[in-house]
Amino acid sequence: MSVATLRIIRYTITLLFGVISTCAFSGLLRTKKNIIKVFGIFTFLGLLQGCIGLCVGFEPILIFYPLHTHLVLILILMAGFHIKVLNALSYVLISYMCCQIPAWISSLFSSDHGKWVYAEYIVYILIAAITLYFIIHYVSQPLYELINSSMQMTLIFMIVPLTYYLFD
């Protein structure tokens, strides 16, 4: 398997991780109907990014990720699921920060040559799966309840991810 193929797989896993974790935080994974919608969102965003990639290449996808993924996801949460703008923004920002966990850990295995070139991608995929499992089963429900309890909690949970997002 080529490094380019692994890069596309990692990118797809990142998109899937982001969509599922955002929707888990927003309480959308409770019904089968919503789970199907979540995979529809993933498919839509994947096709959108694929079209952008075919038109302008892979690097612009990474540069403009906040516009064609995060902003679109926030708009979908607001329009399609009637989630308040600050809550939708919170869910996306927290999910973005959670996406960094596999990135940080896999970067320990980063290499430009030799047999280690695949390790970073494989570790990323494994850590993403483990992290997503914990988010869905242990983190999403309490976080959903806290964010929806008051505007102050929403703002509190936005501060750190927003700061990280702006400076990343």
Side-chain angles (χ1 to χ4, degrees), residues 146-159:
L146 283 170
I147 287 177
N148 284 288
S149 66
S150 70
M151 178 64 74
Q152 291 84 6
M153 289 307 268
T154 302
L155 294 173
I156 288 170
F157 275 97
M158 276 181 57
I159 291 171

Side-chain angles (χ1 to χ4, degrees), residues 13-166:
I13 296 293
T14 302
L15 177 62
L16 185 62
F17 181 100
V19 170
I20 291 175
S21 61
T22 298
C23 292
F25 291 138
S26 62
L28 295 178
L29 297 182
R30 293 195 182 107
T31 67
K32 288 182 182 179
K33 182 180 176 183
N34 281 351
I35 291 172
I36 292 169
K37 288 180 182 179
V38 168
F39 281 102
I41 294 168
F42 165 72
T43 303
F44 170 74
L45 290 173
L47 291 173
L48 176 66
Q49 292 173 15
C51 290
I52 293 169
L54 290 174
C55 293
V56 296
F58 189 74
E59 292 306 317
I61 292 175
L62 298 176
I63 293 169
F64 296 107
Y65 201 86
L67 293 176
H68 64 73
T69 302
H70 298 152
L71 182 60
V72 172
L73 187 54
I74 290 168
L75 294 173
I76 289 170
L77 290 173
M78 290 169 44
F81 298 98
H82 309 290
I83 294 174
K84 297 175 194 171
V85 65
L86 282 179
N87 289 15
L89 181 61
S90 293
Y91 301 138
V92 170
L93 290 173
I94 293 167
S95 179
Y96 175 78
M97 195 152 181
C98 289
C99 277
Q100 301 309 308
I101 295 168
W104 293 330
I105 294 171
S106 67
S107 69
L108 298 173
F109 296 87
S110 175
S111 174
D112 291 332
H113 59 283
K115 63 183 177 184
W116 288 100
V117 74
Y118 297 105
E120 180 180 3
Y121 296 104
I122 294 167
V123 168
Y124 181 90
I125 292 166
L126 292 173
I127 298 300
I130 293 166
T131 303
L132 191 57
Y133 173 84
F134 280 103
I135 287 170
I136 290 170
H137 292 283
Y138 301 107
V139 178
S140 64
Q141 183 62 33
L143 190 69
Y144 171 78
E145 291 171 8
L146 283 170
I147 287 177
N148 284 288
S149 66
S150 70
M151 178 64 74
Q152 291 84 6
M153 289 307 268
T154 302
L155 294 173
I156 288 170
F157 275 97
M158 276 181 57
I159 291 171
V160 171
L162 179 62
T163 303
Y164 182 81
Y165 190 85
L166 293 174

